Amino acid sequence: HETMERLYKDLNYAKLNPLYELLSFYRARWEQEWTEEIIIVRKEYTAGHYQAVGERCINDYYQRYHPFNQTRTLGIEREVAISLPKDHHLKGYMDRLAQQSDGVYEIHDYKTSGHLPGQPDVDQDRQLALYQIGVQQEFRDATQVRLIWHYMAFDKTLMSERNQQQLEELQHSVVELIKEIESAKEFPPRKS
């Protein structure tokens, strides 16, 4: 995430980092942040394996999107406030908010998961759709918003769009979920 943030922050200042600089940044951050106290659950892999996957992800993304002029970045790690019915409010942070030259807004999320979902899964995802509600509340010209997930380990990009009816249904279901949580008396753990 920090490497993607670095890439797009520098692009906003007309600096296109060469791939080797981004990889150097990633390696330096890895060295600063890695400690032996970090537990690797999958014993068949080492820290070096995970670092190599990260480098491959950066390389793949760079090759796919270079020279990164498909959209204009409006925000990186940008806070979004979402107002819901019945005076409920949520807050989130978008990895990247961008806009295409034709006015379409894009909400980008960078996933490092080892699991690649299918299209039905992202079409039901609440997080980015909630961000869309917040973006449309903030930007009146955001009539079309594209939700984009970058599954970095697979070099795959999944997209979804929601219409106003779907967003209204989502708001209703989230308010119902908030009521259910607020009225709960017990919070049993779920083994995972």
Side-chain angles (χ1 to χ4, degrees), residues 42 45 50 53-54 56-57 110-118 150-156 158:
R42 298 174 133 183
Y45 302 120
Y50 286 102
V53 168
R56 187 190 76 222
C57 292
Y110 298 97
K111 297 294 191 187
T112 57
S113 170
H115 168 73
L116 179 65
H150 300 277
Y151 281 86
M152 305 292 282
F154 301 96
D155 191 24
K156 292 281 186 197
L158 300 175

Side-chain angles (χ1 to χ4, degrees), residues 93-144:
Y93 291 88
M94 296 176 282
D95 288 347
R96 186 164 70 94
L97 176 64
Q99 189 174 26
Q100 294 181 356
S101 60
D102 63 1
V104 175
Y105 280 73
E106 294 180 345
I107 299 170
H108 293 261
D109 197 36
Y110 298 97
K111 297 294 191 187
T112 57
S113 170
H115 168 73
L116 179 65
Q119 189 65 44
D121 297 314
V122 297
D123 286 339
Q124 294 300 310
D125 182 88
R126 285 189 297 218
Q127 180 185 359
L128 295 193
L130 285 166
Y131 292 171
Q132 176 178 345
I133 293 166
V135 166
Q136 289 181 317
Q137 289 170 347
E138 183 175 354
F139 297 100
R140 297 293 177 213
D141 66 332
T143 55
Q144 185 178 0

Side-chain angles (χ1 to χ4, degrees), residues 3-166:
T3 305
M4 295 294 104
E5 185 176 342
R6 173 70 167 270
L7 169 66
Y8 285 102
K9 189 176 284 187
D10 286 351
L11 283 168
N12 276 342
Y13 290 96
K15 179 185 179 199
L16 174 56
N17 291 306
L19 177 58
Y20 76 88
E21 281 185 16
L22 289 175
L23 289 171
S24 293
F25 173 79
Y26 171 78
R27 290 178 188 124
R29 293 298 296 140
W30 183 276
E31 291 299 320
Q32 289 172 346
E33 298 295 325
W34 178 260
T35 70
E36 294 302 321
E37 291 153 14
I38 296 173
I39 298 170
I40 297 176
V41 177
R42 298 174 133 183
K43 300 300 179 197
E44 65 270 27
Y45 302 120
T46 66
H49 291 119
Y50 286 102
Q51 183 178 3
V53 168
E55 290 177 15
R56 187 190 76 222
C57 292
I58 294 164
N59 182 65
D60 289 347
Y61 186 89
Y62 196 94
Q63 300 304 326
R64 178 181 293 271
Y65 293 103
H66 183 270
F68 311 101
N69 59 0
Q70 298 86 357
T71 60
R72 176 171 295 218
T73 298
L74 304 176
I76 304 158
E77 292 298 322
R78 190 175 197 287
E79 182 178 309
V80 60
I82 302 125
S83 295
L84 298 172
K86 301 186 181 179
D87 205 31
H88 291 289
H89 304 278
L90 299 174
K91 180 170 57 171
Y93 291 88
M94 296 176 282
D95 288 347
R96 186 164 70 94
L97 176 64
Q99 189 174 26
Q100 294 181 356
S101 60
D102 63 1
V104 175
Y105 280 73
E106 294 180 345
I107 299 170
H108 293 261
D109 197 36
Y110 298 97
K111 297 294 191 187
T112 57
S113 170
H115 168 73
L116 179 65
Q119 189 65 44
D121 297 314
V122 297
D123 286 339
Q124 294 300 310
D125 182 88
R126 285 189 297 218
Q127 180 185 359
L128 295 193
L130 285 166
Y131 292 171
Q132 176 178 345
I133 293 166
V135 166
Q136 289 181 317
Q137 289 170 347
E138 183 175 354
F139 297 100
R140 297 293 177 213
D141 66 332
T143 55
Q144 185 178 0
V145 179
R146 190 164 293 129
L147 312 177
I148 303 172
W149 293 262
H150 300 277
Y151 281 86
M152 305 292 282
F154 301 96
D155 191 24
K156 292 281 186 197
T157 300
L158 300 175
M159 295 184 211
S160 183
E161 291 188 38
R162 308 297 162 82
N163 62 40
Q164 289 307 309
Q165 180 182 343
Q166 290 170 313

